[in-house]
Amino acid sequence: MKLSYSLLFVSFFACSLLRAADDTPQFKVEVDTSPVEAEAHGPVVSYADTLERATPSVAAVYTSKYVTVNRGSSQPGIPEILRQFGYPVPQQPSTPNDAEPRQRMERLGVGSGVIVSTDGYIVTNHHVVHDTRGGDVDEIRVRLTDNTEYVAKLVGSDEKTDVAVLKIEPETELPVVTIADSEKLRVGDVVFAIGNPLEVGLTATQGIVSATGRNSLGILGGGGYEDFIQTDAAINLGNSGGALIDARGRLVGINTAIVSRSGGSIGIGFAIPANMVLHVMTNLIQNGEVPRGLLGLYPENLTPDMADAFGLDSTRGALVNQVQDDSPAEKAGIKHGDVIIRVDAIEIESAPQLRLVVSQMLPGSQVKVTLIRKGKEQKLTVTLGSLSGTAAVQDLTDEFLEGVGFESLDDEARSAFSIPDSVDGVLVSSVASDSPYVDNLARGMVILEVNDKKVKTPEDIEARIVTGEANRLYVWYGEVARFIILRVQDRE
C-alpha cells in the first residue's frame, strides 16, 4: 500500500496526536506502511535497483562559521607538514593594519541529510548543524547528488531527539525518499546506511537490523529521548543525518551515532526511527518546536529484587520514585511506589519507555494510566502538562549565570552522566558556546559547594554566588572533585 500524504493530515504511526493548522506549509512526503516480506522467487543477488531509487534523495551537509584572525597570521594553504617537521611557516608581509583583526568563514564539519519533500525540506541531525559545543553556525550548505549546491535555512532543531529540519529553495522538484513504518522493522531485516562518510562522496553500506528500541544508551545525554535502531551497517564520521533504508529503498531511520573506541565503525551503529523523525519533523515545521506531554514524576527501572519486594511477577513497568508537587501525576492520584504498566493502550516495559511515550503525547491531552499499587491494578485519568513548563529543569541564564542551565540531581540524571549516589549537588545541564563561563563550567559537572556551603538546588547556587567577586566552587567532574574559581559578571 503506497500512499502520498500531505503532512497536514499525516497521523503519527505511534499515536494520532498531530493537529492541523491553517497556516501549515503545504509539503508532501511519500509514506509506505507495508512491512518487508521475503520474496518467493529466489535469493537477491543485487540491490542496485533499490539503491538507485534511494540515493538521489541523500545529500551532503556542510557547516561553516566566521572566525576572527589577526592580520600577519599564517598564509592560508601552507601545508600542515611544515609545522609538524619544525620548518618556519611564512607570514604575510607586515602592514600598518596588522593589528586589525579580520573575519573569514571556516568549515566546521560535514554530515548528511535526507530529502523528504519535493519542495526542499531536508531532515538531518541536530548535531550536524551545530558546532561541537552545541552553538549556532553561520552557514549551512547542502550538496545534492548532481553536485548542485544550495544555502540552507535551519527550519528547526530538537536537541532531545537529535533531529533537525533544513529548507532549500530548488528551481525544480527534488527526488524524495519514501518513508516506511519503522514500527514494523524486525531484527534481521536487511538495511543500508547511505551518506557522505569522511567526505569521500555518496556511499552505501549494507547490514541488518541488529536490535530495536535501544533507549538507555545515554548517547543524547540527560533529558534526551532515545529509541534507536541498532545496525551493523557501517556508519562513519559524515554519515550522521544520512538515510538508513530497507531492502525496498524506503527510509526507516536517520543515522546518528556509533559505539567505537577508534572513531571508525566496528558494527555497532544507531539510527533514529523514521516514525520519531516524522513526528519531530512535522512539529518543527508546523510549530517551530516539539510540544511534549508531562506526567511530573521520576520513574526507575525495576530490578528483580524490587519486583520481588513489590510482589510483582516480572520487572515489566516503571516504578514511581517520586511525584512532583502540584504535577499532573499528583493531581491524578499517582503516588511513589506505584508501578506504571500501561499508558492508554501502550504497554510500558521500562522507565525510559515511559518517558518516551509520554513525551510524544500532546500537552493537555487526557490519558489512561494503568498502574499496580500494593498488588492491585488501578486505572487513573491524567491530563498531561507541558514539559516546557516543568520545574524539574530550571534555566537561570536570564538571571545570574548567562548561558548556563542547572538541574537538580535525580536518578535519570545520575544514570545519564554516570554520577554515583555519593555525589550530591546540582547538575550543570547546559553551557552555551557563547557563555562567559564556558571555560569554567561544563555540561555534566556537579556543583557540590559554593563558597564553602553545600548546594542542592539551582536556587541555592544563585543565593550563594557573590557578583563581582571570586567565588569558590567545589565541583565533581570526570570522577574527581576539585575547586574552581568563578568570577560572576554584573549584567546590565
Side-chain angles (χ1 to χ4, degrees):
M1 177 174 66
K2 190 172 183 180
L3 303 173
S4 176
Y5 290 93
S6 167
L7 276 189
L8 189 58
F9 302 106
V10 169
S11 293
F12 177 53
F13 297 112
C15 46
S16 301
L17 299 170
L18 303 182
R19 297 178 297 181
D22 293 338
D23 57 350
T24 300
Q26 295 292 323
F27 68 100
K28 294 182 178 181
V29 299
E30 293 289 327
V31 178
D32 181 354
T33 62
S34 59
V36 173
E37 296 177 347
E39 299 289 343
H41 53 70
V44 177
V45 294
S46 174
Y47 288 97
D49 292 339
T50 296
L51 294 174
E52 239 177 49
R53 290 193 298 270
T55 50
S57 63
V58 181
V61 178
Y62 301 93
T63 55
S64 301
K65 196 167 187 174
Y66 284 111
V67 296
T68 301
V69 296
N70 292 322
R71 296 184 184 274
S73 61
S74 300
Q75 295 177 5
I78 298 298
E80 186 64 23
I81 195 170
L82 291 179
R83 304 180 195 277
Q84 295 176 3
F85 285 91
Y87 290 101
V89 179
Q91 302 288 315
Q92 292 179 352
S94 177
T95 70
N97 294 323
D98 276 352
E100 297 179 8
R102 59 187 176 87
Q103 285 194 325
R104 69 163 180 248
M105 186 80 78
E106 284 193 357
R107 178 172 292 179
L108 283 182
V110 58
S112 305
V114 183
I115 304 169
V116 293
S117 72
T118 57
D119 58 346
Y121 283 98
I122 296 173
V123 175
T124 185
N125 285 139
H126 168 89
H127 76 263
V128 167
V129 292
H130 290 80
D131 64 23
T132 54
R133 294 182 179 271
D136 294 336
V137 298
D138 292 313
E139 184 181 71
I140 303 171
R141 300 188 74 87
V142 172
R143 181 182 298 165
L144 307 186
T145 53
D146 63 1
N147 289 323
T148 306
E149 278 201 10
Y150 296 90
V151 175
K153 171 188 174 184
L154 180 61
V155 175
S157 191
D158 183 50
E159 184 178 8
K160 292 185 176 182
T161 56
D162 202 17
V163 174
V165 180
L166 307 176
K167 181 69 167 67
I168 61 175
E169 301 299 334
E171 296 179 358
T172 59
E173 288 193 348
L174 298 176
V176 298
V177 72
T178 298
I179 301 176
D181 181 356
S182 55
E183 285 294 316
K184 295 177 180 176
L185 272 180
R186 298 178 299 171
V187 174
D189 283 351
V190 171
V191 288
F192 298 86
I194 308 175
N196 182 27
L198 303 174
E199 207 175 347
V200 300
L202 193 65
T203 302
T205 56
Q206 183 189 11
I208 63 168
V209 174
S210 305
T212 59
R214 295 295 197 203
N215 57 21
S216 301
L217 302 172
I219 290 174
L220 301 182
Y225 295 97
E226 299 181 350
D227 186 29
F228 291 120
I229 301 163
Q230 182 180 331
T231 179
D232 64 347
I235 297 173
N236 289 289
L237 293 173
N239 270 120
S240 290
L244 187 71
I245 67 167
D246 63 16
R248 289 165 56 182
R250 304 173 304 176
L251 184 74
V252 294
I254 295 294
N255 302 321
T256 298
I258 60 173
V259 171
S260 173
R261 294 180 180 178
S262 65
S265 174
I266 60 171
I268 307 176
F270 301 98
I272 306 167
N275 291 9
M276 180 184 284
V277 172
L278 183 59
H279 171 68
V280 173
M281 174 184 71
T282 303
N283 277 286
L284 288 175
I285 293 172
Q286 292 182 351
N287 308 315
E289 62 177 1
V290 183
R292 292 189 168 96
L294 170 73
L295 278 175
L297 52 80
Y298 298 104
E300 180 183 359
N301 287 337
L302 286 161
T303 65
D305 286 342
M306 286 180 179
D308 185 53
F310 280 92
L312 303 173
D313 296 331
S314 71
T315 58
R316 181 176 67 90
L319 173 65
V320 178
N321 268 339
Q322 181 183 346
V323 178
Q324 294 178 8
D325 293 337
D326 200 34
S327 66
E330 184 187 58
K331 293 175 182 177
I334 297 177
K335 300 178 180 180
H336 70 276
D338 290 344
V339 178
I340 297 175
I341 59 173
R342 193 178 303 112
V343 176
D344 285 341
I346 303 173
E347 300 290 334
I348 301 300
E349 302 291 334
S350 65
Q353 186 198 5
L354 174 63
R355 292 185 63 252
L356 179 66
V357 167
V358 174
S359 75
Q360 293 177 334
M361 296 178 170
L362 287 176
S365 59
Q366 286 193 338
V367 297
K368 291 285 185 182
V369 175
T370 304
L371 54 85
I372 297 175
R373 179 182 296 169
K374 296 181 179 179
K376 295 182 179 180
E377 189 173 300
Q378 295 188 25
K379 290 185 178 181
L380 300 175
T381 301
V382 183
T383 301
L384 297 178
S386 173
L387 188 63
S388 60
T390 179
V393 178
Q394 302 191 32
D395 186 357
L396 305 180
T397 57
D398 291 333
E399 297 180 13
F400 77 105
L401 288 188
E402 182 181 355
V404 182
F406 295 100
E407 177 179 345
S408 295
L409 273 178
D410 56 28
D411 291 335
E412 183 180 325
R414 289 184 186 277
S415 175
F417 291 97
S418 300
I419 301 170
D421 293 338
S422 59
V423 175
D424 195 14
V426 181
L427 176 70
V428 178
S429 58
S430 63
V431 181
S433 60
D434 57 353
S435 169
Y437 311 105
V438 70
D439 293 329
N440 304 98
L441 302 176
R443 185 170 178 265
M445 181 180 288
V446 179
I447 299 177
L448 309 174
E449 298 176 2
V450 175
N451 295 325
D452 301 325
K453 295 181 180 179
K454 293 183 178 180
V455 292
K456 291 190 175 182
T457 67
E459 289 88 347
D460 289 344
I461 297 176
E462 183 175 14
R464 290 167 174 74
I465 285 286
V466 180
T467 302
E469 294 185 12
N471 295 271
R472 297 182 307 279
L473 273 63
Y474 191 48
V475 304
W476 180 92
Y477 188 60
E479 300 185 356
V480 296
R482 61 187 177 91
F483 282 98
I484 62 173
I485 304 302
L486 190 72
R487 188 176 293 278
V488 177
Q489 305 171 358
D490 285 306
R491 298 189 65 188
E492 296 179 355

